[in-house]
Every structure is written in structure tokens, then in C-alpha cells.
């Protein structure tokens, strides 16, 4: 039995999970229209690969890009593209983004799958299939899986960690997936082992999910894997964070500014694993995901496997509608790290693990002010990243961004533990998010201006070089001409033609003056 390690801080929170676990894994019906944002991952923007009026089939690529950090978007069903324009999307700022709109035809006709001979595929070919399927981390990070695998393969992986922890309140999509699709997760673990060749594999599940642990253990018995252990871990928030999980399982601390695979560990969420199995075994791209619909303002909470692009209003309808009234709050994610949505027409995307439908009065509204920090250090005690949240707060508030980086702002996982315990009710995480986004914007602007300066300097150098080359060419020509005119038998040097022209102009001017 693996010896587990403690993490610093963390909180024991009310789970609010039982409500959405009553009805098993439900299949969502198709809505009339799907709204697919072009970018549903961390990384570069996709470009549309289909046109308005075009009929598309389920699984067809409709947006992609050749950039390294990118994940294609596929049509989740068959239909006709009726628009490519801005619509509300799931984003903390409530912004709109370019979406491809598909009018669903109801046939659900798919492109012909090309089934690969998995036994004879190289690790690189398997990664290529995962790339083609547009798979991203479904635990919340939405980082494209194929570049992560490629880097892990190059760097060498000692320990593979399958993350079934799902520690945030209200979210149960991974729990239900493990209960009902455990075999897919286990088979993906086998594929990942063949790609990364780790020495050890841990499948970590919080000990408040006994049904998921049992289902995964049974699936592992049916599909045995070498050096693979199902590891129940204590229920504490945020033990599902990558760095925290690494520490619990191995006792290793991922250094500041690094990621788990920099120290030979590779973490993969269980939902991502199921998507990998479908991509490799059925040539099925990522076109759906399990979404928890829950909260105190939804009639029948549950988990639905929904096609990407499905408007949240459609899932609310499937869940029996609003329990109280439709004026409540919608939050994507859980109660600690989730963010408010602008409305119920926002579509489900690859990152949508949970939609909380809450009554107005349940969500504490910000009074718009907070008390001053009393330096009680409670935030420091609970910070799982071992940061100094009050110092970060002072510097973020003063917009002293260099100082925030000295205090490792970018190691903050935005878990919200510090805000939760702060007696002065300071919305600490909001300060950190604002600081991070301003720093990123400044870095982006700096990158652009550096790029423009480099281009300018390069152009200047190029022009200078051309000038020098032209001058050199003229000099050589002059010399050659002079040599020709001083050949034996033709000793009288011919006048320099340019000088001769200048002399003629001078003479004409003189004549004109004399007249
Ligand atoms: S918990 Fe709040 S009041 Fe206490 S030190 Fe941290 S920021 Fe200040
Ligand atoms: S939000 Fe950031 S600073 Fe606050 S407890 Fe979590 S990791 Fe620490």
C-alpha cells in the first residue's frame, strides 16, 4: 500500500455532490442548433475549415490550425453551417467569441471512421491520432493533450498519475464517468503506458467516491495493467490540483515555475482518458463530454453526456427546468473556482465540467467593499501552494506586478482557499486574477513591440547591406573601366564618364553666364 504524504493547507468543504449522483449517466438529446467556439483550448486560435451553407457530418473538422499548441474542433453531429459569427461564450469576462453555428439535421450521420491497428502503432503515431481528435485536458486546464504527451515522451516519465480526484464541491462528472465508463479509463491508462513507458502508475481517487473506486478496481481486474495501483486519497480540497496530487502521492514538490513533467511525472484526468480511448479505438474525435447540471435552482440535478456546442438552456430543460425562477445565477465550474456566465444561451465547450444553477440569494453578492487586512495569516495557513497570499494581495492591489512575481503569483492555482477563510472578506483571488491578466497583457504587448523592433532593425541592416553592396559594385565597375582605358597601346586614360558629364554641365552653365 502506497504511503501518502500531506499537503500544506487546504480545506474540508461541504461536497454538495449527492444531489447530482442520483440518476446515473444520462444522454442529452440534440438541440436544434449547436454553437461551436473556434477556440476551446489554451493556445492559438483555430481558423474555420468549413463555410456557411456547407453540410457537415459528425466528426468532420470544422476549425483547426497548424500551430503546435492547438486543438481542432469537430462537428458534433450532422447538419448545415448557418453562421460563423460572434456569440456569448463561457468566459469570466462575459465576452463573445467567434462561433460556428450548425443547424442540426437530426440524422447524426458521421464521417466514415478509419480504424487503426493499435498493436502496431508507434507511440508517435498514437500521439498523432490523439492530436487529430482535438483532445484537450478535460479536468479544467484544456491544454492540448498531444503536445503534452510529446513533451512527456521526450523528457522521460517515471510516474503516470491518472487523476480521478475531483475535489471541488458540486462537480460529479468524473465520479459518474468512472462509475459508468471505468473500462475506457483503464484502457486509456494502458495506451498512455505504452506511449510514455512509466515505471509506476497511480490511479488516484478521493475516498469519498467508493462506487467509483469499486468500478475502477473491477475494470482493472478485467484489463490488468503492470505496476498500476488504484490509490484512494483523503478528501480534502484542493487535492486534485496537479502539484498537490503529485505531493500527496510521491512526496515530491514541483519546483516554482515548473510543471509535473519537468520532474518526471505525468498527470492525466479521467475524462481525458476516456476521450483518448474513443479516439484510438473508434477514430472518434472529442465531440461530447459529461457535464454536471446541479445547484439549488435546478429541478432534477444530474450528469449528462452532451454534445459540445449545446446551449446550457437545452440542458436546463432536460434537467426539469428551474426549481424556483429563471432570474438566478449560472456558474461554470464548482463553487470555489467557477465563474459566472452571462446567460443560459452560452454553449457547452470542452472545459464545461459543471454548470451550477443557483438561486439569487444563495450566491453572496459582493458588497463592493471589504475590510482592511488585519494580518491574521489565516490565508497563509490554508494556501496549498505555500504562497504568502496577503503579500500577493498588497502588491497586486498596488499594481506592483514585479513584486507579485517575486512572490510567485503564477504558482497560485486560484483555488480560493485564502478568500474563503479571510475574515476581512477580501476577494483575494480576484486581485490575483486581475494581476495575472494585466501581466500577461503587458507581456503580450512587450512581445509584439520586441518583435516589431527586431523586424525594424533587421530591415535597417538589410538596407544598409544593400547600400554597401551597391557602392562596392559601382567601385568595381569604375576600377574595371579605368583598367580597360589604361591598356598598353591605349595609354591615354579615358575620362571618367560621370566626371565628363559633370564637366559638360559645368561648361554649359559657364557659357550661359557669358552670354
Ligand atoms: S486572511 Fe485576510 S485579513 Fe488575514 S492576513 Fe490574509 S488577507 Fe489579511
Ligand atoms: S488562491 Fe492562490 S494564494 Fe489563495 S490559497 Fe489558493 S493558491 Fe494560495
Amino acid at each position: 500500500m502506497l504511503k501518502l504524504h500531506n499537503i500544506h493547507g487546504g480545506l474540508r468543504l461541504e461536497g454538495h455532490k449527492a444531489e447530482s449522483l442520483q440518476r446515473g449517466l444520462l444522454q442529452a438529446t440534440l438541440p436544434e442548433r449547436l454553437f461551436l467556439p473556434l477556440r476551446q483550448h489554451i493556445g492559438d486560435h483555430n481558423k474555420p475549415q468549413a463555410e456557411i451553407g456547407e453540410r457537415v457530418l459528425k466528426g468532420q473538422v470544422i476549425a483547426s490550425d497548424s500551430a503546435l499548441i492547438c486543438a481542432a474542433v469537430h462537428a458534433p453531429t450532422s447538419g448545415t453551417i448557418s453562421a460563423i459569427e460572434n456569440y456569448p461564450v463561457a468566459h469570466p469576462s462575459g465576452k463573445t467569441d467567434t462561433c460556428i453555428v450548425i443547424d442540426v439535421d437530426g440524422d447524426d450521420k458521421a464521417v466514415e471512421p478509419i480504424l487503426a491497428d493499435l498493436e502496431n502503432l508507434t507511440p508517435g503515431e498514437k500521439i498523432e491520432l490523439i492530436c487529430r481528435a482535438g483532445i484537450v485536458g478535460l479536468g479544467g486546464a484544456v491544454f492540448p493533450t498531444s503536445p503534452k504527451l510529446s513533451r512527456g515522451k521526450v523528457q522521460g516519465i517515471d510516474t503516470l498519475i491518472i487523476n480521478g480526484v475531483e475535489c471541488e464541491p458540486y462537480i460529479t462528472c468524473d465520479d459518474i464517468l468512472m462509475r459508468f465508463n471505468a473500462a475506457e479509463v483503464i484502457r486509456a491508462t494502458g495506451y498512455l503506458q505504452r506511449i510514455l513507458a512509466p515505471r509506476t502508475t497511480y490511479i488516484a481517487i478521493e475516498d469519498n467516491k467508493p462506487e467509483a473506486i469499486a468500478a475502477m478496481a473491477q475494470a482493472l481486474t478485467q484489463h490488468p495493467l503492470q505496476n498500476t495501483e488504484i490509490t484512494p486519497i483523503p478528501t480534502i480540497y484542493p487535492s486534485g490540483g496537479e502539484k498537490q496530487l503529485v505531493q500527496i502521492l510521491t512526496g515530491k514538490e514541483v519546483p516554482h515555475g515548473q510543471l509535473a513533467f519537468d520532474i518526471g511525472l505525468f498527470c492525466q484526468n479521467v475524462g481525458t482518458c476516456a476521450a483518448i480511448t474513443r479516439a484510438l479505438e473508434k477514430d472518434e474525435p472529442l465531440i461530447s463530454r459529461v457535464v454536471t447540471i446541479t445547484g439549488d435552482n435546478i429541478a432534477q440535478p444530474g450528469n449528462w453526456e452532451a454534445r459540445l456546442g449545446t446551449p446550457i438552456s437545452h440542458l436546463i430543460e432536460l434537467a426539469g427546468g428551474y426549481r424556483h425562477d429563471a432570474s438566478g445565477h449560472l456558474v461554470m465550474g464548482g463553487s470555489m473556482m467557477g465563474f459566472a456566465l452571462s446567460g443560459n444561451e452560452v454553449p457547452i465547450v470542452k472545459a464545461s465540467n459543471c454548470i451550477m444553477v443557483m438561486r439569487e440569494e444563495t450566491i453572496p453578492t459582493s458588497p463592493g467593499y471589504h475590510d482592511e487586512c488585519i494580518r491574521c495569516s489565516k490565508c497563509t495557513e490554508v494556501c496549498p501552494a505555500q504562497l504568502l497570499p496577503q503579500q500577493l494581495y498588497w502588491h497586486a492591489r498596488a499594481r506592483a506586478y514585479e513584486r507579485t512575481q517575486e512572490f510567485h503569483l503564477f504558482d497560485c492555482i486560484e483555488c480560493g482557499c485564502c478568500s474563503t477563510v479571510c475574515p476581512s472578506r477580501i476577494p483575494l483571488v480576484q486581485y490575483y486574477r486581475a494581476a495575472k491578466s494585466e501581466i500577461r497583457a503587458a507581456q503580450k504587448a512587450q512581445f509584439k513591440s520586441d518583435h516589431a523592433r527586431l523586424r525594424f532593425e533587421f530591415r535597417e541592416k538589410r538596407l544598409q547591406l544593400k547600400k554597401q553592396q551597391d557602392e562596392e559594385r559601382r567601385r568595381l565597375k569604375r576600377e574595371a573601366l579605368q583598367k580597360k582605358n589604361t591598356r598598353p597601346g591605349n595609354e591615354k586614360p579615358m575620362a571618367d564618364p560621370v566626371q565628363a558629364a559633370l564637366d559638360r554641365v559645368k561648361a554649359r552653365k559657364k557659357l550661359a553666364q557669358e552670354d
Side-chain angles (χ1 to χ4, degrees), residues 30-32 55 77-80 103-109:
L30 280 167
E32 285 178 9
R55 181 160 193 263
T77 186
S78 56
T80 306
D103 286 355
V104 173
D105 63 14
D107 295 342
D108 210 22
K109 193 168 169 24

Side-chain angles (χ1 to χ4, degrees), residues 10 237-238 244 379-380 382-390 392 409 411-419 428-429 432 436:
Y237 177 80
Q244 287 65 43
C379 50
T380 308
V382 296
C383 178
Q386 300 188 58
L387 303 175
L388 295 171
Q390 78 275 33
L392 282 173
L409 173 67
D411 280 343
C412 166
I413 57 169
E414 299 176 16
C415 65
C417 289
C418 51
S419 307
L428 295 163
V429 181
Y432 309 150
K436 281 183 188 177

Side-chain angles (χ1 to χ4, degrees), residues 292-369:
T292 306
I293 306 291
T294 188
D296 61 6
N297 194 21
I298 192 81
Q300 296 159 358
N303 280 281
W304 278 265
E305 169 117 30
R307 303 289 171 95
L308 302 178
T310 301
I312 288 168
S313 56
H314 184 77
L315 294 179
I316 290 176
E317 222 176 285
L318 294 180
Y322 295 98
R323 177 174 290 178
H324 299 281
D325 58 64
S327 63
H329 279 280
L330 295 176
V331 173
M332 192 172 106
S335 57
M336 296 297 280
M337 296 175 77
F339 58 86
L341 294 172
S342 57
N344 64 11
E345 290 312 314
V346 166
I348 295 298
V349 287
K350 294 177 184 180
S352 309
N353 51 3
C354 174
I355 305 298
M356 288 169 59
V357 188
M358 306 302 284
R359 283 187 300 159
E360 192 93 45
E361 49 269 43
T362 323
I363 303 276
T365 47
S366 164
Y369 64 89

Side-chain angles (χ1 to χ4, degrees), residues 43 51 74 105 112 135-136 164 198 205 265 290 321 326 400 406 425 442 447:
E51 291 172 358
H74 301 74
D105 63 14
E112 207 55 50
I135 295 174
V136 299
I205 307 170
L265 295 118
V290 182
E406 284 167 26
R425 291 169 297 142
F447 176 79

Side-chain angles (χ1 to χ4, degrees), residues 4-81:
L4 299 177
H5 304 261
N6 291 326
I7 53 167
H8 183 269
L11 292 173
R12 288 185 196 282
L13 300 168
E14 184 73 44
H16 297 286
K17 294 188 184 246
E19 300 89 325
S20 58
L21 285 167
Q22 309 299 322
R23 305 168 65 199
L25 178 54
L26 303 156
Q27 293 299 321
T29 53
L30 280 167
E32 285 178 9
R33 296 173 98 196
L34 294 171
F35 299 79
L36 285 309
L38 289 186
R39 187 169 70 152
Q40 302 183 33
H41 58 272
I42 284 189
D44 299 297
H45 258 93
N46 283 319
K47 296 178 191 71
Q49 302 295 334
E51 291 172 358
I52 295 173
E54 186 176 334
R55 181 160 193 263
V56 290
L57 297 179
K58 177 177 162 184
Q60 181 178 330
V61 174
I62 54 171
S64 68
D65 194 81
S66 55
L68 179 65
I69 310 298
C70 223
V73 176
H74 301 74
T77 186
S78 56
T80 306
I81 294 184

Side-chain angles (χ1 to χ4, degrees), residues 371-380 382 388-391 393-394 417-419 421-426 428 432:
D371 296 330
E372 285 304 314
C373 169
I374 54 168
R375 298 176 189 271
C376 64
S377 292
K378 285 192 172 154
C379 50
T380 308
V382 296
L388 295 171
Q390 78 275 33
Q391 299 289 345
Y393 160 62
W394 291 119
C417 289
C418 51
S419 307
V421 298
C422 177
S424 298
R425 291 169 297 142
I426 304 172
L428 295 163
Y432 309 150

